[in-house]
Amino acid sequence: MQPRNHQKRKRQSFLHGALILTVSMILVKLIGAMFKIPLTWIITEEGLGYFNTAYHFYSPIHSLATAGFAIARMVSENLACGRYADVRRIHKLSIPIFLITGGLGLAVMVISAPFYVRAIGNGGALPAMFCLAPAILFSCLSSVYRGYYEGMSNMYPTAISEVMEAIFKLLVGLSAAYLVFRLGMGEFYSSGTVWGQQVTSEAFAKSALLPYTAAAAVFGVTIGSFASFFYLWIRHKRKGDSITCSELQCSPPCTDRKSIVGRLIKMAIPIGIGALAVNVAALVDTTFLQTRINHIMSVHP
């Protein structure tokens, strides 16, 4: 079933669109600060280390979602030429492409996480890495809709979804981290165990809880990415893309699927590789620093 197209399309100017994204970015940064400060109080510096390890490993794989910019470019070009049928087809064909990309990214993170934490000597980060992996899939799917609307010069869906993602990250992440910590410590005070394992002191109990508390916190990122995708999906289902039936009827015949997919992939690959290279460099630096710290601690305990 085609989405409803009762809305009149209003193309935003460059400055208008930039203003919308700038305001959303400021809000996201403020919400991010509200998340990180109390998070450090809950999970301490050690737990934050697990959180950051998972996030640094996640970032290069997540950068594949930036390839959604290729969708925006193709949509904008075809819209300018009045090829409305191609615009719709680009959106339809990009969904399975980014679904596969996100699924592969998720699998790569889950499979490689145990080897990575073993290599850097930070096994406590493994639960957080597993909890963060699904965010790759949801981010890739979100990039389809963000790129589609950005190509139509409508920055509101992207801005709203980004702020919504940050809010869910804040609320779910902090609440889950606090709940896991309180439940774990409650078990220790009542039975002297943490998740069924006997511990000798309160300090050891807190240390044993930190990997799971960090995982609960980082799960807020996954829920936020899902909320962002769900909002974009529902918005598209309910409001459509504002392309009218008359525009579709006057549109030139659709370009064949193979040509659209081929061009989309050719445009997406260099964008994804560029973003991947930047994030891989940061990951290498972080990995090197982590291994050096672990080496120094082992030599000078």
Side-chain angles (χ1 to χ4, degrees):
M1 183 177 67
Q2 295 287 353
R4 289 181 289 179
N5 301 298
H6 57 273
Q7 283 192 325
K8 183 179 178 181
R9 183 167 59 257
K10 297 180 180 179
R11 294 176 63 86
Q12 297 156 1
S13 67
F14 174 80
L15 290 178
H16 186 187
L19 177 61
I20 293 169
L21 294 180
T22 299
V23 171
S24 70
M25 181 182 67
I26 293 172
L27 289 174
V28 168
K29 293 294 184 182
L30 290 174
I31 295 170
M34 294 169 61
F35 174 71
K36 272 296 180 69
I37 295 172
L39 180 65
T40 305
W41 297 340
I42 297 171
I43 67 176
T44 72
E45 290 294 336
E46 183 182 346
L48 197 61
Y50 299 143
F51 182 99
N52 289 333
T53 296
Y55 214 90
H56 288 145
F57 188 80
Y58 158 84
S59 293
I61 307 174
H62 171 262
S63 65
L64 297 173
T66 60
F69 178 75
I71 300 172
R73 182 174 173 181
M74 287 186 66
V75 167
S76 180
E77 290 175 355
N78 282 274
L79 200 66
C81 296
R83 303 188 65 89
Y84 301 105
D86 276 357
V87 170
R88 283 275 179 87
R89 176 164 282 189
I90 290 167
H91 176 258
K92 183 178 180 180
L93 295 177
S94 62
I95 292 175
I97 293 173
F98 279 79
L99 179 62
I100 293 171
T101 302
L104 289 175
L106 189 160
V108 167
M109 185 163 180
V110 169
I111 293 170
S112 59
F115 301 100
Y116 178 72
V117 297
R118 192 179 304 122
I120 65 173
N122 192 13
L126 189 59
M129 294 179 75
F130 285 153
C131 285
L132 188 56
I136 298 171
L137 175 61
F138 299 131
S139 295
C140 283
L141 292 174
S142 293
S143 71
V144 173
Y145 292 92
R146 288 175 180 173
Y148 189 59
Y149 284 113
E150 287 167 14
M152 303 185 82
S153 298
N154 183 0
M155 304 302 167
Y156 282 113
T158 294
I160 293 172
S161 66
E162 287 177 346
V163 173
M164 182 178 293
E165 182 174 349
I167 290 173
F168 272 85
K169 171 184 171 181
L170 171 70
L171 297 179
V172 175
L174 290 181
S175 299
Y178 180 76
L179 181 62
V180 168
F181 182 78
R182 295 301 300 172
L183 288 174
M185 291 307 296
E187 179 186 336
F188 168 74
Y189 292 136
S190 63
S191 63
T193 61
V194 173
W195 312 141
Q197 299 295 318
Q198 193 73 34
V199 291
T200 57
S201 68
E202 182 176 329
F204 277 112
K206 291 180 179 179
S207 182
L209 277 171
L210 286 178
Y212 305 98
T213 310
V218 87
F219 189 63
V221 178
T222 296
I223 295 299
S225 64
F226 171 76
S228 172
F229 161 66
F230 188 71
Y231 159 74
L232 291 165
W233 180 72
I234 288 294
R235 188 193 190 284
H236 188 263
K237 285 291 183 184
R238 294 188 61 186
K239 297 185 177 182
D241 52 17
S242 73
I243 295 177
T244 65
C245 293
S246 60
E247 286 175 330
L248 286 173
Q249 291 171 356
C250 297
S251 174
C254 274
T255 306
D256 64 278
R257 297 172 187 265
K258 186 176 180 180
S259 298
I260 291 177
V261 170
R263 186 154 185 263
L264 180 59
I265 292 175
K266 287 180 181 178
M267 292 177 64
I269 286 176
I271 296 172
I273 290 176
L276 185 64
V278 173
N279 284 278
V280 165
L283 176 63
V284 170
D285 290 340
T286 303
T287 302
F288 178 76
L289 180 61
Q290 180 73 54
T291 52
R292 289 298 298 167
I293 291 173
N294 291 338
H295 175 71
I296 292 171
M297 291 180 66
S298 65
V299 175
H300 304 285

